[in-house]
Amino acid sequence: MTKFLITFPAAAMVVPAEEMAAVDREAHAVIAQAKADGVYVFAGGIDGGVPPVRVSADGTVTQGGYPAARPLDGGFAVLERPSHEPARFWAARFARACRCDQEVRAFGFDPVA
């Protein structure tokens, strides 16, 4: 089975403050259902209060992510599904709960990992 990354950037989630409790409940309900269905691997949100660092092979630490890359923020879920179609089904459920579009990417298979 393939693991799929379902994500959205923080800027995509434009939700009025009074709806945030409902978004939280609904997103956690989707996660609970994914767990119950046995497709959940892990999920969470990037902590925007902890800045990224880059670590080189020699152990040198540089503040910030890659300069040319867009910032990695927002929420994500990793689910295990047999193909793109059922992964898109779950992405639609997260999109409804979070009130924003979701991106879906497949992890490449690595027989050693």
Side-chain angles (χ1 to χ4, degrees), residues 5-15 20 23 44-46 48 69-77 94-95 98-105:
L5 176 65
I6 301 171
T7 64
F8 65 92
M13 197 170 153
V14 181
V15 179
M20 283 306 292
V23 168
I46 302 297
R70 70 179 186 181
L72 176 61
D73 61 9
F76 64 89
F94 279 112
C98 296
R99 286 36 169 199
C100 63
D101 292 351
Q102 306 288 302
E103 295 180 349
V104 179
R105 291 182 174 82

Side-chain angles (χ1 to χ4, degrees), residues 12-82:
M13 197 170 153
V14 181
V15 179
E18 62 271 10
E19 284 187 44
M20 283 306 292
V23 168
D24 188 55
R25 270 192 318 277
E26 292 172 31
H28 285 104
V30 175
I31 290 169
Q33 189 61 55
K35 287 178 178 181
D37 288 359
V39 303
Y40 178 87
V41 177
F42 64 92
I46 302 297
D47 185 344
V50 179
V53 297
R54 280 190 335 268
V55 181
S56 299
D58 67 1
T60 303
V61 176
T62 305
Q63 295 297 314
Y66 281 101
R70 70 179 186 181
L72 176 61
D73 61 9
F76 64 89
V78 176
L79 304 180
E80 197 164 44
R81 302 304 303 133

Side-chain angles (χ1 to χ4, degrees), residues 82-99:
S83 67
H84 276 90
E85 187 175 333
R88 290 182 195 128
F89 165 82
W90 283 96
R93 294 188 71 186
F94 279 112
R96 279 190 297 279
C98 296
R99 286 36 169 199

